[in-house]
Amino acid sequence: MTLTTPALLFPAISLLLLAYTNRFLTLAQLIRKLADEERTQHHEGNAKQIVLLRRRISLTKRMQLAGVLSFLFCTLSMFALFLSLDLPGVVLFGASLVLLSVSLIYSCWEIQISTNALNVQLQDIEALVASGSRRSLSSKEHHDHAE
């Protein structure tokens, strides 16, 4: 294996870490918004969202950690190969690939939870729409009977 093989992962891991950072920032923004809403008015669906957000933050932390470790092992692999230590270089590169895979698995898991959180939000909206349409039908029927 040559020094350029692990170097091929550098752009991919860098972009992945950037995407993970964006996810983390979005989660932080959602949590702050939810906290502000909860302080002003208690909403029943917020409790479900808080549980899902806590899981997502935990998974995001794990996927970031695995991604950073993958990047570190990739760098160490390149360094070992630079020093002509082929076996340690190959082992470190293999560990880097495993950590990258773990990071991607955590990412898939976080996406699944994110989708569930959106479904909770959609259920709340559907309930509001249904109760709103029932109220408007009820007031329309009341109006029709009055005439």
Side-chain angles (χ1 to χ4, degrees):
M1 183 166 71
T2 66
L3 188 62
T4 57
T5 305
L8 293 173
L9 276 186
F10 266 65
I13 295 173
S14 297
L15 288 173
L16 200 59
L17 290 176
L18 182 61
Y20 291 169
T21 300
N22 285 339
R23 274 188 177 161
F24 179 80
L25 293 173
T26 301
L27 283 172
Q29 186 178 12
L30 282 171
I31 289 169
R32 287 184 184 103
K33 181 181 175 216
L34 192 61
D36 288 343
E37 286 177 8
E38 193 62 27
R39 283 185 194 104
T40 58
Q41 61 184 19
H42 178 69
H43 191 268
E44 197 174 302
N46 285 354
K48 294 176 198 173
Q49 291 288 359
I50 290 167
V51 170
L52 294 172
L53 285 169
R54 185 173 301 283
R55 277 194 215 147
R56 289 179 64 194
I57 283 289
S58 176
L59 286 171
T60 301
K61 178 179 73 173
R62 290 176 188 174
M63 67 190 189
Q64 285 178 319
L65 179 63
V68 167
L69 287 174
S70 174
F71 202 48
L72 176 64
F73 278 47
C74 191
T75 304
L76 292 174
S77 170
M78 288 176 61
F79 188 66
L81 292 170
F82 175 74
L83 297 175
S84 299
L85 301 170
D86 289 340
L87 183 59
V90 169
V91 169
L92 286 166
F93 183 65
S96 175
L97 291 175
V98 168
L99 286 165
L100 183 59
S101 298
V102 167
S103 176
L104 292 171
I105 289 168
Y106 280 135
S107 179
C108 287
W109 191 0
E110 192 273 336
I111 289 169
Q112 183 64 39
I113 291 173
S114 174
T115 304
N116 289 342
L118 288 173
N119 284 331
V120 166
Q121 200 72 34
L122 286 172
Q123 288 171 351
D124 288 347
I125 293 169
E126 288 169 345
L128 287 171
V129 168
S131 68
S133 62
R134 273 185 254 152
R135 270 188 260 138
S136 66
L137 281 176
S138 173
S139 65
K140 185 177 189 257
E141 287 174 358
H142 184 315
H143 184 321
D144 290 343
H145 288 294
E147 292 178 354

